[in-house]
């Protein structure tokens, strides 16, 4: 960590408390609401029968691309979750003073792709044992997380984590540090971040998995 990082709070690796958080603002970030890849909606209301999942696995650019490519995914969006600041900006999140992590909203059709399959994709596409970092991206805004809606999602996420931990143990990897918690508010990120790697095909993506497959299903 450089002196600049210490001064600005960038690369902060310990979570702040609510009373330390930046205040934010009442007005949300304005976005088009239209997915640049498939032209579907990124904001509610979504078509009947769709479900949602919010996850974080490091820089949200590459994470979002991994999910919009998945069969059965209707739409995706990037944003901020798990923190305290109302309607934060990207610059504020990067200071570590909002408590948020970079997150991806996945809108999917459960008749085509199961929650368990999407969770397996989540585990396999990053290293969930790294704490407040993902590769060279260091800071609380890069922590791994699953933010659940309802008891079913929470149970599915914890069961999936348990299965993947057993697979990691067998392969000699460390302990999962992924935060699993109820979803508070998902704040949409600025328009230029949405589907960033579609708009900038040569853009940065620092994600890398462990190479360990995640078992799926009750019999796993």
């Amino acid at each position: 960590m450089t002196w600049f990082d210490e001064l600005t709070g960038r690369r902060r690796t310990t979570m702040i408390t609510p009373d330390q958080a930046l205040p934010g603002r009442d007005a949300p970030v304005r976005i088009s609401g239209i997915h640049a890849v498939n032209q579907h909606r990124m904001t509610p209301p979504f078509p009947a029968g769709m479900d949602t999942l919010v996850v974080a696995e490091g820089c949200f650019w590459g994470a979002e691309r991994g999910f919009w490519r998945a069969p059965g995914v209707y739409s995706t969006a990037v944003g901020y979750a798990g923190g305290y600041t109302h309607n934060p900006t990207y610059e504020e999140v990067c200071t570590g003073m909002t408590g948020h992590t970079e997150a991806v909203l996945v809108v999917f059709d459960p008749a085509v792709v199961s929650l368990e399959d999407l969770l397996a994709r989540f585990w396999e596409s990053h290293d969930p044992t790294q704490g407040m970092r993902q590769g060279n991206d260091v800071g609380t805004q890069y922590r791994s997380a699953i933010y659940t809606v309802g008891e079913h999602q929470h149970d599915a996420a914890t069961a999936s984590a348990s299965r993947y931990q057993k697979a990691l143990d067998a392969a000699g990897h460390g302990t999962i540090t992924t935060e699993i918690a109820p979803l508070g508010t998902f704040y949409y990120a600025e328009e230029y971040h949405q589907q960033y790697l579609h708009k900038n095909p040569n853009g940065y993506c620092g994600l890398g998995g462990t190479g360990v497959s995640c078992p799926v299903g009750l019999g796993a």
Side-chain angles (χ1 to χ4, degrees):
M1 180 179 292
T2 67
W3 67 268
F4 179 76
D5 294 325
E6 292 185 27
L7 180 66
T8 61
R10 292 180 62 183
R11 299 168 72 91
R12 180 182 296 275
T13 56
T14 55
M15 281 292 291
I16 61 168
T17 57
D19 61 294
Q20 294 174 313
L22 298 172
R25 56 203 49 81
D26 293 333
V29 171
R30 298 185 64 180
I31 62 170
S32 69
I34 302 299
H35 200 280
V37 178
N38 59 29
Q39 305 305 304
H40 291 169
R41 292 184 61 92
M42 291 191 292
T43 58
F46 301 118
M50 295 294 139
D51 207 346
T52 61
L53 174 68
V54 174
V55 296
E57 52 180 87
C59 177
F60 50 18
W61 294 342
E64 184 190 20
R65 180 175 63 181
F67 282 104
W68 86 53
R69 290 176 168 177
V73 171
Y74 171 81
S75 188
T76 57
V78 295
Y80 315 113
Y84 313 114
T85 299
H86 296 288
N87 297 302
T89 66
Y90 178 70
E91 289 74 17
E92 288 172 339
V93 171
C94 286
T95 67
M97 294 303 295
T98 71
H100 293 289
T101 186
E102 295 187 16
V104 180
L105 169 67
V106 183
V107 184
F108 66 99
D109 184 347
V112 178
V113 60
S114 70
L115 174 61
E116 287 74 17
D117 284 339
L118 290 177
L119 288 170
R121 178 179 289 268
F122 163 78
W123 295 120
E124 293 171 4
S125 60
H126 75 301
D127 184 346
T129 71
Q130 294 193 355
M132 301 298 183
R133 67 180 300 158
Q134 197 61 215
N136 293 326
D137 294 326
V138 179
T140 56
Q141 74 269 30
Y142 298 117
R143 68 186 185 274
S144 174
I146 305 171
Y147 295 112
T148 61
V149 177
E151 186 175 352
H152 167 68
Q153 275 202 359
H154 178 80
D155 290 348
T158 54
S160 182
S162 179
R163 290 194 298 269
Y164 198 50
Q165 185 63 67
K166 291 178 182 178
L168 289 174
D169 290 343
H173 290 274
T175 301
I176 288 173
T177 60
T178 301
E179 175 188 3
I180 300 176
L183 177 66
T185 301
F186 175 84
Y187 295 102
Y188 285 86
E190 295 82 349
E191 183 72 26
Y192 75 94
H193 288 298
Q194 305 297 338
Q195 299 85 59
Y196 182 87
L197 292 181
H198 170 73
K199 301 169 184 174
N200 302 273
N202 296 319
Y204 168 79
C205 176
L207 292 185
T210 62
V212 178
S213 297
C214 180
V216 176
L218 296 177

